[in-house]
Amino acid sequence: MHFGFSYVGLIYLVMLMLPNIIWTKHQPKDYDKYVGNENKALLACERIGEVLVSCASLIFSDFNIRPWSSWSWWLIVSFLLMVLYEVYWVRYFRSEQTMQDFYSSLLGIPVAGATLPVLAFLLLAIYGRNIILGIAVVILGIGHIGIHLMHKSEIS
């Protein structure tokens, strides 16, 4: 692991945060009704994971583009998952913006809005061979995907 600024981490965080900022003005109908029912342990994992992933993504230069090797495929697949995440948001913003739309799947990936970025950051951790980001992503995934699955089951 190498300390230093990661421009790839910054790009990922921008791709992650921009749609979420827009989402604050386009939340699904009845969203507030579901937020109050969130499991506190999952919520704690989500919040801690968000901070850890954000920090680790930026402070390790391990994620920056290196000369081509077989490890480069991890970065390519990771980036493709982030592109799919953007596709998910475009689809959501063009929809009626219901809870079903928000917790929908994409290409068979359940609760795509939560699953895609978690998988993308996990593959980024593998590409960078960075255990700190890997652990942070697992913590985030438990909370974020767990909360989304709970909400999805509540609306079904």
Side-chain angles (χ1 to χ4, degrees):
M1 291 184 294
H2 302 92
F3 283 106
F5 177 71
S6 173
Y7 58 86
V8 171
L10 178 63
I11 292 167
Y12 274 51
L13 290 174
V14 169
M15 291 176 76
L16 181 72
M17 290 181 188
L18 278 179
N20 282 278
I21 291 168
I22 297 167
W23 172 80
T24 62
K25 302 291 184 196
H26 299 276
Q27 292 183 2
K29 299 163 184 73
D30 300 325
Y31 180 74
D32 292 334
K33 179 173 91 174
Y34 294 90
V35 173
N37 300 332
E38 290 176 351
N39 178 296
K40 301 302 182 216
L42 291 178
L43 186 60
C45 284
E46 181 184 47
R47 297 293 182 254
I48 292 166
E50 287 171 344
V51 170
L52 293 175
V53 167
S54 297
C55 292
S57 298
L58 294 173
I59 67 168
F60 292 107
S61 61
D62 303 319
F63 314 120
N64 292 335
I65 297 173
R66 300 186 296 265
W68 179 263
S69 74
S70 59
W71 284 94
S72 300
W73 287 110
W74 293 107
L75 180 62
I76 290 169
V77 174
S78 173
F79 185 74
L80 289 175
L81 289 173
M82 285 304 291
V83 170
L84 281 177
Y85 178 67
E86 301 304 318
V87 169
Y88 159 82
W89 278 112
V90 169
R91 188 181 70 178
Y92 171 77
F93 290 133
R94 290 184 169 185
S95 73
E96 294 179 24
Q97 299 173 5
T98 65
M99 291 296 284
Q100 287 84 1
D101 297 325
F102 188 56
Y103 294 110
S104 64
S105 63
L106 180 69
L107 299 176
I109 300 167
V111 290
T115 306
L116 287 169
V118 168
L119 290 175
F121 276 92
L122 183 61
L123 295 184
L124 184 64
I126 293 170
Y127 166 74
R129 300 175 203 161
N130 189 295
I131 189 72
I132 294 174
L133 180 60
I135 291 168
V137 170
V138 169
I139 293 168
L140 172 64
I142 290 167
H144 195 55
I145 295 171
I147 287 171
H148 279 245
L149 287 172
M150 284 182 60
H151 288 205
K152 184 174 175 65
S153 71
E154 289 175 22
I155 63 172
S156 296

